[in-house]
Amino acid sequence: MDKREIFTEISLFKRILEEKGLKFSKQRKLILEQFFIEEKHLNVEEIYQRLKKYNIGLATVYRNVKIFNNIGLLKEIVVDEVSYYELKIYSKKPLHIHFKCISCNDIIDVDERKIVLEYLKLNKDMEDRNGFEIYDVNIMFYGYCQKCKGCK
Amino acid sequence: MDKREIFTEISLFKRILEEKGLKFSKQRKLILEQFFIEEKHLNVEEIYQRLKKYNIGLATVYRNVKIFNNIGLLKEIVVDEVSYYELKIYSKKPLHIHFKCISCNDIIDVDERKIVLEYLKLNKDMEDRNGFEIYDVNIMFYGYCQKCKGCK
DNA sequence: TTTTTTGCAAAGACTTTGCATTGGA
DNA sequence: TCCAATGCAAAGTCTTTGCAAAAAA
């Protein structure tokens, strides 16, 4: 995503905040930008480490990721007891499958049509066999990513 | 599981603890028994609530579920940022699929051969398409269980 | 008796909240 | 200007740790 596109997205977020009566503060802009600088899942600590040089308070990060999650700008995923956040615009999928590398700790989104189809069958089986009514699912794979596979 | 069988299992746990040089204290016995009284997933708080009448300390529960997890008597699963434990003897399956009811909060083990087969296909796809090497997977379904489906 | 385990209380880690001050529209 | 948002510090949670006393073997 180039600088112009990021600018467009950030402007959109500004509008969304303003529609909710929320202000587009310097700190909120900085937090949201982090998700464009590196398109990955970030937790509060990671965001804070990147922004503390701007004198941002840790409580501000906690407060705002929670707000952004509530108004649907970010989506929270919990992995190993830690909350990570990702841009909601990247998570408009029928379900969420994540992969966490046990070497580099990166969390990767899995987004393959065929895998989603396999999953749908799994879901239907679950409902039929157990009498459940399923609303959401969370699939987490753990292992080595392509990058780390060679040098473990 | 009747009383005689529970007695046999508990005796086995006593032996396992003794082999590791650990003592079979009254508190450890009580904690392990809870998993037989109700064959479900328990978190530290739930165990403590059941046992505080025996004057057991919360720290003792924390310490021991951790020990039992390390020596393989219990298996830890993390759901919504809370650690639950279950007897390892009930978790000797090729993979772990859980279902959490959003009404009664019960966590149910899913253990259907056909679902496991679907999963294995999913796993292979993941490795082939993304170049991952998968070691573990965690699948959590959320929805209404059969019991709660009617009265939501 | 000897060593481990316990309960308690204190200390840590992480997150939220209260409040005076600052800042955005 | 006016109200929302911020940084800070204090207060909550939840979990771990230190230690003297108690309990296993």
Side-chain angles (χ1 to χ4, degrees), chain A residues 21-86:
Chain A
L22 297 167
K23 292 185 174 165
F24 191 63
S25 67
K26 183 168 57 71
Q27 291 86 342
R28 287 183 177 158
K29 183 162 180 280
L30 282 168
I31 292 169
L32 289 170
E33 278 173 352
Q34 299 317 302
F35 291 92
F36 289 101
I37 291 170
E38 257 188 88
E39 293 174 23
K40 66 180 202 178
H41 305 76
L42 298 170
N43 61 38
V44 167
E45 190 53 30
E46 289 164 347
I47 298 169
Y48 177 66
Q49 287 306 322
R50 290 159 184 231
L51 297 182
K52 64 182 180 188
K53 60 186 167 196
Y54 301 110
N55 217 42
I56 198 172
L58 181 57
T60 300
V61 180
Y62 274 110
R63 271 190 289 243
N64 284 313
V65 292
K66 187 147 286 189
I67 290 169
F68 295 159
N69 183 54
N70 289 341
I71 66 174
L73 253 38
L74 296 180
K75 180 173 162 61
E76 181 185 22
I77 60 160
V78 179
V79 182
D80 301 333
E81 296 178 82
V82 176
S83 286
Y84 288 80
Y85 297 87
E86 65 180 347

Side-chain angles (χ1 to χ4, degrees), chain A residues 1-142:
Chain A
M1 198 181 261
D2 73 20
K3 275 197 177 164
R4 164 156 292 284
E5 286 174 293
I6 294 173
F7 181 78
T8 308
E9 287 292 347
I10 294 283
S11 300
L12 176 65
F13 287 162
K14 183 167 186 292
R15 269 224 328 275
I16 293 169
L17 287 179
E18 283 162 357
E19 276 166 19
K20 306 263 177 189
L22 297 167
K23 292 185 174 165
F24 191 63
S25 67
K26 183 168 57 71
Q27 291 86 342
R28 287 183 177 158
K29 183 162 180 280
L30 282 168
I31 292 169
L32 289 170
E33 278 173 352
Q34 299 317 302
F35 291 92
F36 289 101
I37 291 170
E38 257 188 88
E39 293 174 23
K40 66 180 202 178
H41 305 76
L42 298 170
N43 61 38
V44 167
E45 190 53 30
E46 289 164 347
I47 298 169
Y48 177 66
Q49 287 306 322
R50 290 159 184 231
L51 297 182
K52 64 182 180 188
K53 60 186 167 196
Y54 301 110
N55 217 42
I56 198 172
L58 181 57
T60 300
V61 180
Y62 274 110
R63 271 190 289 243
N64 284 313
V65 292
K66 187 147 286 189
I67 290 169
F68 295 159
N69 183 54
N70 289 341
I71 66 174
L73 253 38
L74 296 180
K75 180 173 162 61
E76 181 185 22
I77 60 160
V78 179
V79 182
D80 301 333
E81 296 178 82
V82 176
S83 286
Y84 288 80
Y85 297 87
E86 65 180 347
L87 283 176
K88 191 67 167 269
I89 49 165
Y90 290 142
S91 69
K92 281 182 188 140
K93 294 161 210 158
L95 80 147
H96 241 71
I97 307 178
H98 289 100
F99 172 88
K100 186 181 183 192
C101 177
I102 53 183
S103 170
C104 68
N105 288 317
D106 256 22
I107 294 169
I108 296 162
D109 257 59
V110 178
D111 182 25
E112 294 284 342
R113 195 160 307 277
K114 188 164 176 256
I115 289 168
V116 171
L117 287 176
E118 285 294 337
Y119 159 74
L120 288 175
K121 276 195 272 179
L122 201 65
N123 202 342
K124 186 163 181 344
D125 281 352
M126 283 281 299
E127 295 199 323
D128 291 351
R129 286 159 176 272
N130 297 285
F132 298 152
E133 196 171 321
I134 292 168
Y135 282 78
D136 196 14
V137 69
N138 225 305
I139 303 182
M140 276 296 317
F141 289 93
Y142 296 88

Side-chain angles (χ1 to χ4, degrees), chain B residues 20-83:
Chain B
K20 306 261 178 191
L22 297 166
K23 290 180 177 170
F24 191 63
S25 68
K26 183 167 58 70
Q27 291 86 342
R28 286 184 178 157
K29 183 162 179 279
L30 282 167
I31 293 169
L32 289 170
E33 277 173 353
Q34 298 316 301
F35 291 92
F36 289 100
I37 291 170
E38 257 188 89
E39 294 174 22
K40 65 181 204 180
H41 305 75
L42 298 171
N43 62 37
V44 167
E45 190 53 29
E46 289 164 347
I47 298 169
Y48 177 66
Q49 287 307 321
R50 290 159 183 231
L51 297 182
K52 65 181 180 188
K53 59 186 167 195
Y54 301 111
N55 216 41
I56 198 171
L58 181 57
T60 300
V61 180
Y62 274 110
R63 270 190 288 242
N64 284 313
V65 291
K66 188 147 286 187
I67 290 168
F68 295 158
N69 183 52
N70 289 341
I71 65 173
L73 253 38
L74 296 179
K75 181 175 161 61
E76 180 184 23
I77 60 161
V78 179
V79 182
D80 300 332
E81 295 179 81
V82 176
S83 287

Side-chain angles (χ1 to χ4, degrees), chain A residues 123 126-127 131-137, chain B residues 98-106 108 140-149 152:
Chain A
N123 202 342
M126 283 281 299
E127 295 199 323
F132 298 152
E133 196 171 321
I134 292 168
Y135 282 78
D136 196 14
V137 69
Chain B
H98 289 100
F99 173 88
K100 186 182 184 189
C101 177
I102 55 183
S103 172
C104 66
N105 288 317
D106 257 21
I108 297 163
M140 276 296 315
F141 289 93
Y142 296 88
Y144 291 99
C145 70
Q146 197 151 29
K147 209 169 67 225
C148 296
K149 212 166 50 171
K152 58 179 180 197

